[in-house]
Amino acid sequence: MSETPRNGTRPAPGNDLPEAAKILVAGGFGVGKSTLVSTISEIVPFHTEETLTHSGIDVDDLSGVERKATTTVALDFGRITIHNRLALFLFGTPGQDRFWFMWDELAAGALCAVVLADTRRLPDCFPAVDYFERSGLPFVVAVNCFEGARQYPAETVRRALTLGPHVPVLLCDARRRASVKDILIRTVEHVLHLETQPSAYA
């Protein structure tokens, strides 16, 4: 009988890829996590969103996302098949610090993570980066290129976040399916690469 890997997935017959893998989508408030999940999901995505109220004005920083009307309070969920033997289950985390207590539960059994970043609010993704660095969960940083926002080279973002060379920094548009799919494929490729060079996250 074959053993179940630590991430809770079973390997596909004759292939090193698991039949299913769990990927977290994390980042700051309003960075586009729910949009990313909705854009790529082949099923109707599940969102736990609530309308922003006046009581949250002094709690949630809306700088740069003034038009945002809802917020994720628990998780987003979607699924995408990117290989005939590989399905990705996407779990979007809540962005506000008052909901961070849920991250350990959401991270259980995850293969890796995508940290979405917004260059207008770059410090907002520091908690997610710190969390995955401490936990040892492999991750990539995907810069969501918003219209009207100044765009920076990936290496400039890397320096600003003080990321090591082993962490991929990618540019994406969370509204475009092809862009999101490319990010997910490159994230899985990153994890497979680390299987042969695991010392970076040791």
Side-chain angles (χ1 to χ4, degrees):
M1 180 179 295
S2 61
E3 294 183 0
T4 300
R6 286 179 298 174
N7 62 13
T9 59
R10 290 190 176 277
N15 197 315
D16 290 336
L17 290 173
E19 291 180 349
K22 178 180 181 180
I23 295 182
L24 295 189
V25 181
F29 174 65
V31 77
K33 300 181 295 296
S34 298
T35 299
L36 183 148
V37 173
S38 295
T39 296
I40 198 65
S41 182
E42 64 193 9
I43 62 173
V44 177
F46 173 76
H47 300 292
T48 55
E49 291 193 328
E50 295 292 341
T51 302
L52 289 171
T53 63
H54 289 292
S55 61
I57 291 177
D58 295 329
V59 179
D60 299 321
D61 181 9
L62 297 178
S63 302
V65 288
E66 292 83 358
R67 298 169 63 181
K68 185 172 176 61
T70 61
T71 183
T72 299
V73 296
L75 61 90
D76 299 307
F77 174 77
R79 185 190 72 201
I80 176 66
T81 302
I82 63 170
H83 185 278
N84 60 358
R85 289 179 174 173
L86 176 62
L88 302 181
F89 294 90
L90 307 178
F91 288 77
T93 66
Q96 301 100 310
D97 55 3
R98 65 183 183 277
F99 298 125
W100 287 348
F101 68 91
M102 298 190 59
W103 283 30
D104 287 341
E105 188 75 21
L106 292 173
L111 177 70
C112 54
V114 174
V115 176
L116 270 184
D118 179 353
T119 56
R120 301 169 301 177
R121 300 157 56 97
L122 202 56
D124 288 2
C125 72
F126 283 154
V129 169
D130 291 343
Y131 179 88
F132 297 124
E133 286 183 337
R134 290 196 309 270
S135 68
L137 188 69
F139 69 97
V140 306
V141 171
V143 180
N144 195 6
C145 300
F146 287 89
E147 288 185 15
R150 181 178 177 182
Q151 295 191 19
Y152 297 87
E155 287 307 307
T156 299
V157 176
R158 178 187 304 282
R159 290 194 298 270
L161 294 176
T162 63
L163 296 171
H166 58 279
V167 179
V169 178
L170 313 169
L171 304 181
C172 76
D173 184 338
R175 302 166 303 175
R176 294 180 56 242
R177 184 178 177 84
S179 179
V180 174
K181 185 174 183 179
D182 180 63
I183 291 295
L184 296 176
I185 290 173
R186 294 175 70 177
T187 301
V188 173
E189 290 175 343
H190 172 57
V191 175
L192 294 178
H193 174 71
L194 290 176
E195 291 296 319
T196 62
Q197 298 181 346
S199 59
Y201 282 91

